[in-house]
Amino acid sequence: MINKIKYRIIILLALVSFTACQNDDNSTAATIDAMVAEPGDLLNQAFPLNKVRVEGEGLAGLKKITLDNKINISFNPNHNSDKAFIFTVPFDEKLGSRFGVQPITFETAAGSFTKDIEILQPTPTIVKTIPAVATPGFPLEIEGTWFYNISSVTLGGKALSYTLKSSSSIIIGLPSDAVSGSELIVTTPGGTAKTIINFATMVLVSDFDGNGVRTSWNAYGDIDTFNANTTGGPTGSYATLAWTGSTANGYNGSSAGGGTSFLSASNTDAAKTFIDIDVSSNVIGAQFAIQLNTIDGKDYGYNFKVTDVNWTTKTITLADFKDNYGFGMPATTLDASKVNEIKVGIVQSDTPNPSVIKFDNIKIRYQ
């Protein structure tokens, strides 16, 4: 009888011990005391790409982290203990990443639990502009980072129209009267990005409305008619030159003459110099001849065919000009600072008969 009592006491003690162990295992419930972003020690807040240190109890056996109920976050299990683990805040537009307060769920060996974390919008940055030197009246691309929720884009304190190409690119429209050296500011909820916009040197040669450094145009050679004050152009009057097949001289053209150079002595690089000219014609295939004269008596040419009878702006870099009226070798020695005359004509050897070319708003710019 005594042995039976001893046996029952031993079994009872074993059961008590087992139950106590179970209670010990369940006593450590998973809890989070804080989510701390590094660097900066933000509490329950973080910027994209921040590392976040989660501190608490019962955090061992981390299985899964889900942000905003849809974005799975990768983590290193080697950096997981019962009291802490670390993860990096992702940000991917394609996955639906957003800013603001949102839930984050952790699954550990002790169970699943959800907390709120605020994803903060970083301050935007401006990395570069394309082109590097802008031109008033032309579009300009701004490349940078964190262009989200833009509230304004200003230049010299004046609001600009813009198109958001992506979170890293904005296309802005520069006013024709914009001033070089003005400050461009992109403002978002995350802060502001600033840069100074320097503009190209631009010289209006002629707009055929009485403005520009060359206003008195005349024609020469095998022309049929020439009118430097034709009404109804893209911005007012324009020039019209017609050729109907005469080859008596073998050439034709129009010019407002020479004079001082268009650009300063420091603007020498032909690859950085451009001619902008609005063009049209009576027929596709009409071939323009653009010629340059310099103060030291040299001449260069660039020829192109019209592919659209509607008005378009043709931009030509001086580096594309050639000698021998545009039919020779590339003008590798062309000094842009010496150009003082621009001529416009028709290539008679390869153009429809008749050809009527129209042109307006001739500009030369250096950037």
Side-chain angles (χ1 to χ4, degrees), residues 237-255:
S237 298
Y238 62 95
T240 304
L241 188 152
W243 174 77
T244 57
S246 173
T247 58
N249 294 285
Y251 58 86
N252 66 72
S254 61
S255 171

Side-chain angles (χ1 to χ4, degrees), residues 300-335:
Y300 307 92
Y302 179 87
N303 307 318
F304 65 93
K305 292 184 178 181
V306 171
T307 58
D308 189 339
V309 297
N310 297 308
W311 283 101
T312 58
T313 300
K314 178 72 175 179
T315 296
I316 313 162
T317 174
L318 263 62
D320 288 336
F321 277 75
K322 298 179 180 179
D323 58 20
N324 191 25
Y325 304 100
F327 296 99
M329 299 298 293
T332 56
T333 60
L334 199 165
D335 184 342

Side-chain angles (χ1 to χ4, degrees), residues 12 59 142 149 216-217 219 269 291 303 314 325:
L12 181 60
L59 303 181
I142 311 298
N149 308 310
S216 182
W217 283 75
D269 193 340
Q291 295 181 17
N303 307 318
K314 178 72 175 179
Y325 304 100

Side-chain angles (χ1 to χ4, degrees), residues 181-203:
S182 297
E183 186 176 49
L184 177 81
I185 301 177
V186 178
T187 302
T188 75
T192 60
K194 302 178 181 181
T195 190
I196 299 299
I197 302 297
N198 293 310
F199 296 118
T201 298
M202 185 173 68
V203 176

Side-chain angles (χ1 to χ4, degrees), residues 98-109:
R98 64 184 179 92
F99 302 111
V101 177
Q102 50 203 274
I104 185 166
T105 301
F106 306 100
E107 294 183 23
T108 71

